[in-house]
Amino acid sequence: MATDKKIFTDSGIEIKTIYTQDDLALTPPSGGGGAGEFPFTRGVQPDMYRGKMWTMRQYAGFSTAEESNQRYHYLLSQGVNGLSVAFDLPTQIGYDSDHALADGEVGKVGVAIDSLEDMEILFKGIKLDEITSSMTINASGFILLAFYIALAKKQGADLKKISGTIQNDILKEYAARGTYIYPPKASMRIITDIFEWCAAEVPKWNTISISGYHIREAGSTAVQEIAFTLSNGKAYVQAALQKGLDINVFGKRLSFFFNAHNNLFEEVAKFRAARRMWAGMMKELGATDPKAMMLRFHTQTGGSTLTAQQPYNNISRVTLQTLSAVLGGTQSLHTNGYDEALSLPTEAAAAIALRTQQIVAFESGAADTVDPLAGSYFIESLTNEVEAAAWKLISTIDAMGGSVAAIEQGFIQDEIAKSAYEYQRQIESGEKIIVGVNKFQTTEKNTIPGFKIDEQVQTLQVEKLKTLKLKRDNDKVIASLKTLNEKAISGENLMPAVLEAVENYCTLGEIADELRKVFGEYK
């Protein structure tokens, strides 16, 4: 008996009962192409994971640099091949651990890094030219990059071989997350300074990871995630072009960061559509080198999908999300711990999360062939529909004057808020089932051990800062901050002055504050 029940994805795309060849009568909006060929719908490498497995990263960082360093050594011993650093909130917004606003937050959601000395401890015993590091840092990303490069120089590494990523995506901070320091214009100037400086000094470094992850965590749909993220990407490219940078050079060092949620097929379609759209966008903006048109991306499984109720269910959710990222062609992946709705992940939960990636990689067969779901009537149709819906949103943003204008007018924030509200409404009405939350509930006792940060961390960091300020050459500190101030006013590239300040052991807060004097703060 036929049913007239309508089913929609979270993006509001209606799912038909059955898909046939007729659904593919429409040519994909941006053309076809094989794997490793424009527009990269099927992946950015001709042989994908047969040639090189995705980078298995685990996002980690908490407490002091000493404690995080121990966790990094543990993860590397377990088969992780890329580190992903989480920083505490004071570090993210340019405050040292002894700042009044840092009180109670030091080392809580990430590691506290106040100076080059902390960076030396964080990577003690780890050669920076033998691993890749991803640093989730935005407003103060340029300072953390300088710490990292200064440490690589001290280790005697060849800077031309150093590779990794700083997130460095400030537009999504204004739109969805809130860890900004400077006004948009000054922030965009710092970002293009990084593009320019890295192209010459650290050519393998990914200078930005344009992030849809936080947009999705704030409540957007899959369609909004790629529409807003690609719009932000376009704004960064236009800012770099205005500075006279070569799109075929800096375009190769742009990377993206997406979320993976539970609707397996919509997520796969989203990743495929995003690649195709970015290739078309970059071509239109003037790129001629195919490598500058490739959308390379890191994925993290969906933090906001994890539940505090029946937390072991989260292992199944993370497995589904891992599969969607792999079937969608990710270059790098972080899997969340099942206990993250309760606390920072314990070592045991982090190990299960990593094993989830390894099982998908080596036991599932999902990595054996390129774009395994290609040719499915359903997947191809859904890819087209996700793309069409995303282009519609992008054209609205373009009509407003681009991402910066759309954020200033509150459009992007309002769209995300509406989607978040609708999602919650559906859960509360029972239209959307979340297992263990609004259906299949049980009476539970939480027996999962939480991960606690020692309250002494703040005291330790403050003591370290006092000692550092007594033993460093404070005349050099004053001189390098003065140079930084002058470069900020003159419009010269800031990175050489920031690197010099870092090497003279100026602190993160001192550097951020010097630029606050020139640029002001965004309110």
Side-chain angles (χ1 to χ4, degrees), residues 128-161:
L128 300 189
D129 53 4
E130 290 177 5
I131 57 153
T132 65
S133 299
S134 169
M135 296 190 279
T136 304
I137 193 83
N138 297 285
S140 56
F142 66 106
I143 307 172
L144 271 299
L145 174 62
F147 285 152
Y148 195 87
I149 298 304
L151 176 58
K153 283 170 74 176
K154 284 189 85 167
Q155 288 186 355
D158 178 352
L159 296 190
K160 299 282 189 272
K161 290 179 182 166

Side-chain angles (χ1 to χ4, degrees), residues 212-423:
Y213 185 84
H214 305 93
I215 288 169
R216 192 68 177 279
E217 289 294 286
S220 83
T221 65
V223 164
Q224 288 170 333
E225 181 188 349
I226 58 167
F228 298 155
T229 306
L230 297 185
S231 275
N232 287 348
K234 187 177 184 179
Y236 293 125
V237 171
Q238 287 168 329
L241 289 171
Q242 279 165 12
K243 195 168 178 143
L245 304 184
D246 184 346
I247 193 169
N248 287 320
V249 176
F250 74 79
K252 293 175 192 171
R253 300 270 56 99
L254 307 177
S255 67
F256 288 79
F257 174 26
F258 290 122
N259 209 315
H261 273 218
N262 291 330
N263 189 321
L264 181 75
F265 300 110
E266 185 176 42
E267 294 300 297
V268 173
K270 174 190 83 178
F271 296 133
R272 298 172 89 247
R275 268 196 297 273
R276 197 155 76 190
M277 292 170 74
W278 183 247
M281 214 180 245
M282 286 296 273
K283 192 173 187 179
E284 202 173 289
L285 288 163
T288 53
D289 187 329
K291 285 193 169 167
M293 303 176 206
M294 282 180 185
L295 183 146
R296 295 168 302 116
F297 67 100
H298 169 70
T299 311
Q300 182 174 339
T301 57
S304 61
T305 68
L306 304 180
T307 64
Q309 299 92 330
Q310 302 177 23
Y312 289 114
N313 293 348
N314 294 329
I315 297 173
S316 302
R317 292 186 177 103
V318 169
T319 305
L320 264 178
Q321 294 161 9
T322 300
L323 208 47
S324 75
V326 171
L327 294 172
T330 194
Q331 276 61 68
S332 158
L333 180 61
H334 162 78
T335 33
N336 288 334
Y338 68 83
D339 55 357
E340 287 189 51
L342 301 165
S343 70
L344 284 170
T346 57
E347 204 165 270
I352 290 171
L354 174 61
R355 294 290 178 254
T356 302
Q357 290 201 51
Q358 291 165 337
I359 289 165
V360 170
F362 302 110
E363 296 184 29
S364 74
D368 293 351
T369 188
V370 171
D371 194 15
L373 297 182
S376 147
Y377 300 141
F378 178 37
I379 281 293
E380 296 295 355
S381 302
L382 195 52
T383 303
N384 293 347
E385 289 197 69
V386 166
E387 178 171 0
W391 278 126
K392 197 173 169 187
L393 262 177
I394 289 171
S395 64
T396 304
I397 291 166
D398 284 346
M400 296 172 88
S403 257
V404 177
I407 288 164
E408 285 171 346
Q409 291 169 48
F411 170 75
I412 291 176
Q413 298 92 311
D414 288 349
E415 290 297 300
I416 294 169
K418 281 183 215 161
S419 296
Y421 172 81
E422 178 57 21
Y423 185 80

Side-chain angles (χ1 to χ4, degrees), residues 18 39 42 51 71 101 134-135 256 289 349 366 395 462 466 472 486 493 497:
I18 189 166
R42 303 201 62 187
R71 176 69 69 93
L101 290 175
S134 169
M135 296 190 279
F256 288 79
D289 187 329
S395 64
V462 171
K466 275 185 192 162
R472 68 187 184 178
E486 289 163 358
N493 193 302

Side-chain angles (χ1 to χ4, degrees), residues 70-90:
Q70 285 174 17
R71 176 69 69 93
Y72 294 161
H73 279 285
Y74 168 75
L75 289 169
L76 290 166
S77 76
Q78 295 300 303
V80 155
N81 44 18
L83 294 174
S84 188
V85 186
F87 297 96
D88 72 357
L89 282 172

Side-chain angles (χ1 to χ4, degrees), residues 406-513:
I407 288 164
E408 285 171 346
Q409 291 169 48
F411 170 75
I412 291 176
Q413 298 92 311
D414 288 349
E415 290 297 300
I416 294 169
K418 281 183 215 161
S419 296
Y421 172 81
E422 178 57 21
Y423 185 80
Q424 190 59 32
R425 186 199 65 73
Q426 287 178 4
I427 292 170
E428 288 179 18
S429 69
E431 290 167 60
K432 182 162 194 63
I433 292 167
I434 307 292
V435 174
V437 175
N438 62 356
K439 199 158 187 179
F440 315 114
Q441 293 119 313
T442 54
T443 309
E444 299 174 71
K445 274 186 193 158
N446 178 24
T447 55
I448 289 176
F451 188 89
K452 292 278 184 285
I453 298 295
D454 188 338
E455 294 300 330
Q456 287 300 303
V457 168
Q458 187 164 340
T459 313
L460 288 168
Q461 281 299 114
V462 171
E463 283 304 316
K464 268 203 265 181
L465 274 167
K466 275 185 192 162
T467 309
L468 174 73
K469 287 176 181 179
L470 287 171
K471 69 183 181 187
R472 68 187 184 178
D473 185 334
N474 283 300
D475 290 338
K476 282 185 176 174
V477 166
I478 293 162
S480 47
L481 290 173
K482 184 172 178 283
T483 304
L484 179 63
N485 188 298
E486 289 163 358
K487 292 267 173 82
I489 292 166
S490 74
E492 287 173 75
N493 193 302
L494 288 169
M495 284 307 295
V498 174
L499 187 61
E500 184 189 316
V502 156
E503 289 178 327
N504 286 326
Y505 289 89
C506 292
T507 68
L508 171 109
E510 287 168 338
I511 294 166
D513 281 349

